[in-house]
Amino acid sequence: MKFKHLILAIVLAFTVIEMPSSSAVNSQLSMSLRQTPSASEALLTFYGTLSPAKSGINVYIYINTGGPWTQTRFKGKTTKAGTWKVEALATALDAKVQYRASVTVSGKKIYSPVRTITIKQIAEVAQADPALIITAVGPGGRIHGADISRWQHPNDKAIDFAKMYEAGIRFVMIKASDTREDADQLSLKYLIMDHSAAQAVGIYTGFYHYAILPDVSDSDGIVRDATAQAQKAIWRLASIGGYTQRDLPYALDLENKCVRLSTSGACQKYATRSAVTLWATTFLRLLKEKTGKVPILYSYSNFLESSMNRNAELAQYPLWLAQYAIDPSNPLNQPGLKASGCYVHSWTGAHCDSQWAIWQYTSCGIAPKYGVPGSRLDLNLFRGSANDFLGLVQGSWTPQVVDFMPTNEPSTLTVNTLSASTTNKLVTFNVTVVRPDLTPVVTGSVKLVFDPINAPTNKPIQTVLRETSGSWTLAVKDVLAGTYTGQIVFTDVSQTHAQSFAPVIFTVVQGPTPSPTPKSTIKATPQPSADECAKQIKN
């Protein structure tokens, strides 16, 4: 074998194995391969997903340089979410090489598709300094970043992170979790898709949790909910293997204090300043204590001033501040300043300036320019130097067994109140669901399941209103007159908590029949749609 075909300098073959064609039924292993920008030797990143997800499965990397497949010394393990990643230093000799990955599931070997790469020679540097590859090529000479969620994946299209890196993006904040169950499941789906893919091309990654505050007023209830939502974020981070050396901290996205909506979607109740502040400090403190990495708070100036109390503890967390329509290329421009007067909040500086670490300066970035499907992309700037940036990245966290989200953990459902009267009124249930230690469940929702023997002939409309973690009001509309039996059922699609239920029986009597509302013959004049990007920076 000629020297030009020796790609991995430390690849020494342990065994030589011909690749069999069979694979385990119902399991699939994906693998992608990138040469990751590095300040020292050429770095290869192998990453993929085992589905269905199984944690702790060994993943082995094989190489083919024109002869038989050879197992290398490089291996990794799958995470709770089924993702895996392996990094290996390589000697760049401009030879085209094939790789594939292998796992063994239920005694059967599964192989990924073959990937081919030609490793490129990197520029020689005097010292292996990671700051050398964190180039500040964003507006105003700052480090440029983006933030992404399901909205950057129309029709499940993938993001071209290599193009994003080439366009100057050096960090991306990924939506990783959400208070709402449906949005949370989508967050996990795209987190799995984006996390390793972004890091493989040299982009640093962070995470954020979108918070909906609880509809409770007592301090204990607020703390319980913040604790449960922080647990969701910790479990999500643990599911992908914890913090790596290329991860920014988790951020709390706190921009909404509405805790109760009307049927029309209008807000009926807002959380108080003290409630918002207590919730935020509890969430951030728990995340910091568990992971050892200082989390970030995302919000905007008016919310910080009008919805939260000034708090010394909050001020220790880096601020990710949103403010649009200000050109960041102008060196005199900065976010967080009032036209007159001063925003007063936990991050207000001595000269009325906001002590921000990251600035979200537009929601109207030109998405295709950065390899993102669709038309719009949130863009951000980091305030400090490359070394300041690495200071924010410092610190890793590897979850232990106790840190992982449980699977089918027993739950207990209690129907606290039931209200049923006439057909023109809602049937309502107040329901709580707890874990074995009597703390509230973190994920899942509830519904009414009628017994088939006396189910209504129509299909009543069910609405679930979340009060706080593990507590809901279930409202059922259009129930016909009659006596009904059934069950209130708690189900968690993530299978963190096991299903539980409680039997119910109720009677609805005939109420007044509402007169039909006459249809209006007046046609509404269509209003021109507002251009949200009219005054924003289109970069």
Side-chain angles (χ1 to χ4, degrees):
M1 185 180 292
K2 295 182 180 180
F3 179 74
K4 68 178 182 179
H5 293 304
L6 296 176
I7 299 304
L8 291 179
I10 48 179
V11 139
L12 299 179
F14 287 169
T15 56
V16 176
I17 302 176
E18 293 295 335
M19 298 295 111
S21 59
S22 62
S23 62
V25 179
N26 299 327
S27 290
Q28 292 184 326
L29 182 68
S30 69
M31 187 188 84
S32 296
L33 172 59
R34 291 282 185 181
Q35 182 174 346
T36 303
S38 171
S40 56
E41 297 178 77
L43 179 66
L44 293 184
T45 301
F46 306 83
Y47 62 96
T49 306
L50 174 64
S51 58
K54 290 180 179 292
S55 64
I57 303 295
N58 286 322
V59 182
Y60 297 95
I61 303 299
Y62 291 82
I63 185 172
N64 189 322
T65 57
W69 284 97
T70 304
Q71 180 179 319
T72 73
R73 66 184 294 253
F74 300 107
K75 68 176 183 178
K77 285 183 181 292
T78 58
T79 66
K80 182 88 172 184
T83 58
W84 63 272
K85 184 171 69 173
V86 176
E87 293 182 336
L89 291 176
T91 303
L93 300 175
D94 295 326
K96 186 179 290 187
V97 183
Q98 291 184 322
Y99 293 96
R100 74 187 309 175
S102 173
V103 297
T104 300
V105 178
S106 301
K108 295 183 179 180
K109 285 205 170 187
I110 303 167
Y111 298 95
S112 74
V114 174
R115 299 290 181 237
T116 303
I117 191 171
T118 300
I119 303 169
K120 299 176 182 179
Q121 183 70 51
I122 63 171
E124 186 176 347
V125 293
Q127 185 178 2
D129 182 359
L132 294 173
I133 60 171
I134 307 174
T135 47
V137 292
R142 292 192 173 104
I143 299 169
H144 210 191
D147 57 273
I148 56 176
S149 65
R150 61 172 172 158
W151 303 112
Q152 280 65 58
H153 291 280
N155 300 316
D156 276 352
K157 292 181 180 178
I159 294 172
D160 184 348
F161 286 104
K163 186 173 182 180
M164 183 181 284
Y165 184 89
E166 291 168 3
I169 295 297
R170 293 297 176 264
F171 71 95
V172 62
M173 303 297 289
I174 305 171
K175 183 177 180 182
S177 51
D178 193 300
T179 303
R180 301 160 296 183
E181 293 306 302
D182 53 348
D184 187 64
Q185 287 301 301
L186 286 172
S187 298
L188 175 59
K189 175 181 178 179
Y190 295 114
L191 171 66
I192 291 172
M193 187 182 294
D194 293 337
H195 182 230
S196 293
Q199 290 193 358
V201 302
I203 296 175
Y204 285 76
T205 54
F207 316 94
Y208 70 92
H209 173 86
Y210 184 84
I212 302 293
L213 299 177
D215 187 3
V216 293
S217 55
D218 63 294
S219 297
D220 289 344
I222 293 166
V223 169
R224 279 196 302 272
D225 184 75
T227 301
Q229 291 202 45
Q231 181 66 75
K232 177 181 279 190
I234 292 166
W235 279 344
R236 184 57 43 80
L237 185 59
S239 76
I240 59 169
Y243 281 130
T244 73
Q245 295 296 330
R246 290 180 179 269
D247 280 327
L248 291 159
Y250 224 110
L252 168 61
D253 181 346
L254 188 55
E255 54 183 295
N256 178 12
K257 65 176 180 179
C258 181
V259 297
R260 187 184 303 168
L261 293 172
S262 67
T263 53
S264 65
C267 188
Q268 290 184 318
K269 181 183 176 183
Y270 294 94
T272 64
R273 282 173 174 267
S274 58
V276 177
T277 306
L278 175 60
W279 195 98
T281 52
T282 302
F283 180 99
L284 293 166
R285 186 188 312 128
L286 289 171
L287 213 57
K288 178 184 176 183
E289 290 174 352
K290 185 61 186 178
T291 66
K293 211 165 190 174
V294 179
I296 299 169
L297 179 82
Y298 169 91
S299 198
Y300 57 97
S301 296
N302 188 58
F303 187 92
L304 297 174
E305 180 182 64
S306 63
S307 303
M308 303 179 76
N309 293 324
R310 294 185 70 185
N311 182 284
E313 182 180 351
L314 279 177
Q316 72 174 295
Y317 300 107
L319 176 63
W320 177 11
L321 189 63
Q323 186 167 347
Y324 308 149
I326 301 176
D327 186 358
S329 297
N330 185 332
L332 298 180
N333 285 344
Q334 62 172 304
L337 295 177
K338 273 187 177 178
S340 62
C342 187
Y343 282 115
V344 179
H345 52 68
S346 299
W347 292 267
T348 302
H351 303 288
C352 286
D353 55 326
S354 293
Q355 301 301 301
W356 56 275
I358 301 174
W359 172 14
Q360 187 185 73
Y361 69 90
T362 186
S363 65
C364 295
I366 304 168
K369 173 181 175 181
Y370 301 97
V372 175
S375 59
R376 293 173 56 176
L377 177 67
D378 294 345
L379 295 174
N380 303 272
L381 295 172
F382 180 76
R383 186 172 192 167
S385 66
N387 284 319
D388 293 330
F389 181 87
L390 289 173
L392 202 58
V393 172
Q394 275 184 354
S396 59
W397 175 64
T398 302
Q400 305 301 311
V401 174
V402 295
D403 299 319
F404 289 112
M405 179 182 291
T407 301
N408 287 324
E409 177 187 71
S411 66
T412 302
L413 182 149
T414 303
V415 178
N416 301 306
T417 61
L418 186 164
S419 174
S421 55
T422 55
T423 54
N424 60 314
K425 295 183 179 180
L426 297 173
V427 178
T428 61
F429 308 86
N430 178 265
V431 182
T432 54
V433 185
V434 296
R435 303 173 64 190
D437 62 0
L438 302 184
T439 59
V441 292
V442 176
T443 60
S445 190
V446 295
K447 65 180 178 180
L448 170 62
V449 178
F450 289 95
D451 286 340
I453 193 171
N454 60 4
T457 54
N458 65 334
K459 190 174 182 179
I461 300 170
Q462 300 192 32
T463 303
V464 180
L465 302 175
R466 175 186 177 274
E467 294 181 5
T468 182
S469 293
S471 179
W472 300 269
T473 294
L474 174 61
V476 188
K477 183 182 179 182
D478 297 335
V479 180
L480 302 176
T483 297
Y484 300 97
T485 57
Q487 295 177 335
I488 304 298
V489 179
F490 165 75
T491 304
D492 177 11
V493 294
S494 74
Q495 298 183 341
T496 303
H497 310 293
Q499 189 178 80
S500 56
F501 56 89
V504 291
I505 181 170
F506 59 93
T507 299
V508 176
V509 299
Q510 184 62 48
T513 303
S515 302
T517 303
K519 293 183 178 180
S520 174
T521 58
I522 302 174
K523 293 184 178 181
T525 303
Q527 298 295 320
S529 56
D531 182 3
E532 295 180 9
C533 294
K535 296 182 179 180
Q536 290 202 46
I537 305 299
K538 300 178 181 68
N539 194 5

